[in-house]
Structures are given as structure tokens and as C-alpha cells.
Amino acid sequence: SFGSSDYYAEFNSESETELTDTSLHFKWDAPWSHVDLLASWQDFETFNLDNRTPFPGFNNRFEIQLDWETTTAELRFSDSGDTLDYIVGYYYADRELDGFFDIDLSGVNLLGPAGGAADINAVFANLTWHLSDQWDLTTGARYDKNEIWTLSEFAFLGVDAIVDDDVEFDHGSWSIKLRHYLNADTTAYLALDNAYKQGGFNNLVPGFLALEEVIPGIAPEGVAEEMLMFDEETSTAIEIGIKGNALDGSLGYSFAVFYQEFEDHQITQPGGVVALDTPL
């Protein structure tokens, strides 16, 4: 019964977000290919003040400020024909993060900035071969190479925990899809895909490193160091199905069997800042 709940907090929680976003898309139908040039710039600022006071006599205050600035560029070539459709291109992104954490747990303060940057590069290609009027084969490939840098500097009970580190990730993803057109309204397909999500740093963990200095043995040895980074996630999936239309187009249907297997699955990654690495 919410009507009988007591409210002990000294202030209300609040959240603010300011987003500035701009993009450019240039198209050119060249004699030899369709050319697309895409560019964007985004500034994403958030402010969160959470009151997590559980009961009288305690003051749990979480203030987190984050400012993400992202610049992207993509160059893409594409065309379609009687025997081949293709898309090939290059993608680049530069991301910078400035953050500040002010956490007060009943008078014990965890304070400090956390920032970082990412340099992201990828090349990709997607080819669809029209083997016959009834068969299409699509093959895709993408190679990612990303460099992530972080700087976190927390103070806790007079102890400083500083992490200044960088890490590189690279992965080749692929995709194979075979489609068979049974008739004008029905398509059967088989798909095999390998996907990738980059790893990174848990920017709040340096604060826990400082806590270990003040209260030895608060966690098993080496846990904070292991949680400082999380690995890249990879997955492989297989799907087989059939879809189409019936009753002169008034009914659409699809049936599929899908299976996906993860390695180093990232359970949670809000805002690209915090993640837990749980191998499955």
C-alpha cells in the first residue's frame, strides 16, 4: 500500500538531459556506383541526482554528470544489378567522455572525475548474389578495430585511486544468408551470423579500489582489478524459417527457429559506462 509509505528523503531526485545533434548525408549517383558520404556530430549531456535514502538517519546521495561527444563519418559505395547487389564502405567514430561522480553514503564521500575516449574504425562489405530466379546468396563481412582509453581518479577517505589505461579490440564479423523463393508469395531462408560488441572499462571500479585500501578484505582478493575491464562480446546465431503472404495478400505469416550462443556476454551496459562481464 503506497499510501502508508513514509518519505524520509531530504530532497527529491532529479534528472536532466541536453542533446545537440547534427548530421550530413551527401549522395552521388556516379556512372560506376552510388556513393554515400555520411557525417554526424552529437553532444549528449546528462545530470542525475538520486536520493537513495533508505530510512531516517541515513543520507545516500548519488550525483553523476556525464558529457558524451561523438563524431562519426562513413563512406559507402553500393549498386544493384541482375547478378549482384553490393554495399562496401568504411566507418569511423571518435568519442570523448567527461564525467564527474559525487557519492555520499551517510557522510562517507566518494568523489572524483572519470573520463575517456574511443577511436573506432571499421570496414564492411555486403554482397547479394542472384544465383537464379529462385535463389539468392548473401555474404557479409566486417572488420572492427577500436581503441578505448579511460582516466578515473577517485578520492575516498583520503585514499586516491587513479586508473589511466587504454586497450584495443579487433574482430572480424561475418554473415551468410541463403534465400529460396518458393513462389511469388513465399520465401524460405537459412541464416548464419557472427556478431561482436567491444569491451571497455567500468569507470566506477576505481572507487572500489580506494575502498579496498581503507577496508582490507572487504572483497575477495583481486576482484576489483578483475572488474576494472570487461571483455568484448561475441555471438554466433543460426536461423531457419519461412515467410510469406496468403489469401490474396490479406494475411502475412512467418515461422522461424532461432538459436544464438554468446561468449563473454555483457549483461548490462547503461550509457556505455558500466558493464558486467559474465562468461556463459
Side-chain angles (χ1 to χ4, degrees), residues 1 46 65 129 190 267:
S1 175
T46 63
Q65 302 178 50
W129 307 86
L190 171 66
I267 299 300

Side-chain angles (χ1 to χ4, degrees), residues 236-259:
T236 304
I238 181 171
E239 181 177 356
I240 184 170
I242 186 170
K243 58 184 177 180
N245 298 311
L247 303 177
D248 295 327
S250 61
L251 174 66
Y253 66 89
S254 63
F255 301 95
V257 177
F258 177 80
Y259 175 78

Side-chain angles (χ1 to χ4, degrees), residues 18-127:
E18 182 176 332
L19 174 65
T20 305
D21 194 2
T22 183
S23 61
L24 171 70
H25 187 178
F26 173 76
K27 298 181 179 181
W28 177 35
D29 289 332
W32 40 274
S33 183
H34 301 296
V35 182
D36 290 86
L37 176 62
L38 303 94
S40 71
W41 177 82
Q42 182 183 90
D43 186 65
F44 185 78
E45 298 183 21
T46 63
F47 170 81
N48 288 279
L49 179 60
D50 290 341
N51 191 337
R52 303 185 185 181
T53 302
F55 43 80
F58 282 77
N59 178 28
N60 290 355
R61 175 179 179 273
F62 285 68
E63 181 179 339
I64 300 176
Q65 302 178 50
L66 296 175
D67 182 6
W68 285 90
E69 185 174 331
T70 305
T71 303
T72 69
E74 181 177 345
L75 180 61
R76 197 166 59 211
F77 304 92
S78 63
D79 205 352
S80 59
D82 295 334
T83 59
L84 176 65
D85 303 338
Y86 72 87
I87 299 176
V88 297
Y90 168 73
Y91 174 81
Y92 171 77
D94 177 78
R95 294 175 181 167
E96 296 184 4
L97 169 65
D98 288 318
F100 188 81
F101 298 85
D102 185 356
I103 300 173
D104 187 351
L105 301 176
S106 299
V108 180
N109 192 243
L110 175 63
L111 184 72
D119 186 78
I120 301 170
N121 295 268
V123 290
F124 57 89
N126 195 81
L127 311 176

Side-chain angles (χ1 to χ4, degrees), residues 42-228:
Q42 182 183 90
D43 186 65
F44 185 78
E45 298 183 21
T46 63
F47 170 81
N48 288 279
L49 179 60
D50 290 341
N51 191 337
R52 303 185 185 181
T53 302
F55 43 80
F58 282 77
N59 178 28
N60 290 355
R61 175 179 179 273
F62 285 68
E63 181 179 339
I64 300 176
Q65 302 178 50
L66 296 175
D67 182 6
W68 285 90
E69 185 174 331
T70 305
T71 303
T72 69
E74 181 177 345
L75 180 61
R76 197 166 59 211
F77 304 92
S78 63
D79 205 352
S80 59
D82 295 334
T83 59
L84 176 65
D85 303 338
Y86 72 87
I87 299 176
V88 297
Y90 168 73
Y91 174 81
Y92 171 77
D94 177 78
R95 294 175 181 167
E96 296 184 4
L97 169 65
D98 288 318
F100 188 81
F101 298 85
D102 185 356
I103 300 173
D104 187 351
L105 301 176
S106 299
V108 180
N109 192 243
L110 175 63
L111 184 72
D119 186 78
I120 301 170
N121 295 268
V123 290
F124 57 89
N126 195 81
L127 311 176
T128 297
W129 307 86
H130 304 298
L131 305 178
S132 68
D133 292 339
Q134 287 77 39
W135 291 92
D136 279 350
L137 175 64
T138 299
T139 58
R142 178 185 177 102
Y143 176 73
D144 289 87
K145 185 171 184 178
N146 307 334
E147 183 176 1
I148 311 297
W149 169 79
T150 189
L151 173 60
S152 300
E153 187 174 353
F154 285 97
F156 183 82
L157 295 179
V159 177
D160 293 329
I162 301 174
V163 175
D164 185 356
D165 202 357
D166 64 89
V167 63
E168 289 188 2
F169 299 95
D170 65 288
H171 183 81
S173 305
W174 50 265
S175 174
I176 301 174
K177 294 180 174 66
L178 182 64
R179 289 188 294 270
H180 178 50
Y181 303 98
L182 299 173
N183 53 53
D185 296 314
T186 310
T187 304
Y189 63 92
L190 171 66
L192 300 172
D193 294 283
N194 175 266
Y196 154 85
K197 184 189 295 183
Q198 74 176 34
F201 294 93
N202 287 304
N203 286 333
L204 284 176
V205 170
F208 192 71
L209 292 172
L211 184 62
E212 281 192 332
E213 292 290 332
V214 178
I215 311 175
I218 191 173
E221 184 177 355
V223 167
E225 289 81 357
E226 292 180 2
M227 291 179 61
L228 178 60

